[in-house]
Amino acid sequence: MLHQALKNDFPSVENAVYLGQQELTFSLSNPNGKKDKYLEKEAAAFTDAQYFKLFDYQWLVGNSSLLNAPNTVILTEKYAKKYFGETNPINKILRINNVQDVKVVGLLKNQLENTDLKTEIFISLPTIKNVIPDYRYDDWYWFSKTRETYILLHENATKASFEAQLPAFSKKYFGPDAKVFPFHLQELSDVHFNLDYGGK
């Protein structure tokens, strides 16, 4: 995956994470023996523990390392209450797209309303193979705001020096198509304020 290649190829990259948002249906059995179903169009994403080392969240239960195991999920307070009410959500089971069960292993405090980080359901990245076998998460030939790669550079690295190396990186992986798939960095502040990217 792109984030793994960035970490492997560039010593200046301190951390790199992948966040793959996906429209998913979650279901669980209710006390009447029937299934409650919830279509989540924007709240769910696949990622791993490194995401929580790059972005700050307040943990109420559990820790980020639990997301490295397959078939696990972490919820915010809001979504834990949505699915399980006042019941303790830890170790409860949710079924995704009626094909894969995942266990709730962590609980996060709700984010502020003005945050750009809208994900509330964090599914472990290895689970994606079971839920969406044809997801093509190793394919970099995509242009979609639902698949994002975030990186953190070491303090002694600069944006300019890093971007100067990206044409060679693109050529290494894309060969003759490198000019069609250039890479560049976009600062988080620009993501937040740039109107071309849904900024405010």
Side-chain angles (χ1 to χ4, degrees):
M1 298 182 75
L2 176 58
H3 72 288
Q4 294 169 330
L6 288 167
K7 284 194 288 187
N8 292 337
D9 288 19
F10 296 103
S12 56
V13 173
E14 181 176 333
N15 197 0
V17 301
Y18 173 79
L19 185 73
Q21 295 175 319
Q22 185 70 31
E23 181 177 307
L24 299 169
T25 298
F26 293 83
S27 59
L28 66 156
S29 299
N30 61 34
N32 298 323
K34 297 182 179 180
K35 287 191 178 295
D36 294 326
K37 293 185 178 181
Y38 305 87
L39 175 62
E40 304 296 357
K41 294 186 176 183
E42 298 179 340
F46 295 92
T47 192
D48 60 21
Q50 294 300 315
Y51 177 85
F52 296 99
K53 294 182 180 180
L54 195 58
F55 295 104
D56 292 327
Y57 286 79
Q58 184 174 339
W59 289 87
L60 299 176
V61 181
N63 60 73
S64 61
S65 66
L66 297 171
L67 203 62
N68 287 328
N71 307 326
T72 56
V73 63
I74 291 168
L75 304 174
T76 61
E77 292 176 287
K78 175 182 176 181
Y79 275 76
K81 188 172 184 178
K82 176 178 180 178
Y83 297 146
F84 304 108
E86 300 301 326
T87 303
N88 182 357
I90 301 303
N91 294 325
K92 296 291 186 181
I93 300 298
L94 289 169
R95 190 163 183 82
I96 305 177
N97 287 0
N98 203 33
V99 296
Q100 181 61 54
D101 289 341
V102 292
K103 181 167 67 174
V104 180
V105 295
L107 184 63
L108 300 168
K109 188 173 180 62
N110 292 330
Q111 288 283 77
L112 297 176
E113 289 295 327
N114 64 346
T115 181
D116 292 318
L117 305 174
K118 301 300 185 182
T119 302
E120 311 242 24
I121 306 166
F122 300 88
I123 309 160
S124 63
L125 194 52
T127 310
I128 200 171
K129 295 180 181 180
N130 299 330
V131 177
I132 313 172
D134 59 349
Y135 186 74
R136 299 177 68 185
Y137 57 91
D138 283 329
D139 182 0
W140 301 357
Y141 289 81
W142 38 257
F143 297 92
S144 171
K145 67 177 183 179
T146 64
R147 302 187 186 189
E148 300 171 329
T149 298
Y150 296 96
I151 71 168
L152 175 67
L153 297 178
H154 284 290
E155 289 186 7
N156 60 347
T158 67
K159 177 183 178 181
S161 64
F162 182 79
E163 286 192 319
Q165 302 173 73
L166 290 177
F169 175 80
S170 184
K171 187 174 182 179
K172 173 181 177 180
Y173 290 98
F174 292 108
D177 294 328
K179 291 183 179 180
V180 183
F181 296 96
F183 292 98
H184 71 277
L185 299 183
Q186 182 183 11
E187 296 179 6
L188 284 178
S189 59
D190 188 53
V191 175
H192 181 78
F193 292 108
N194 194 322
L195 296 178
D196 292 335
Y197 296 91
K200 303 171 179 63

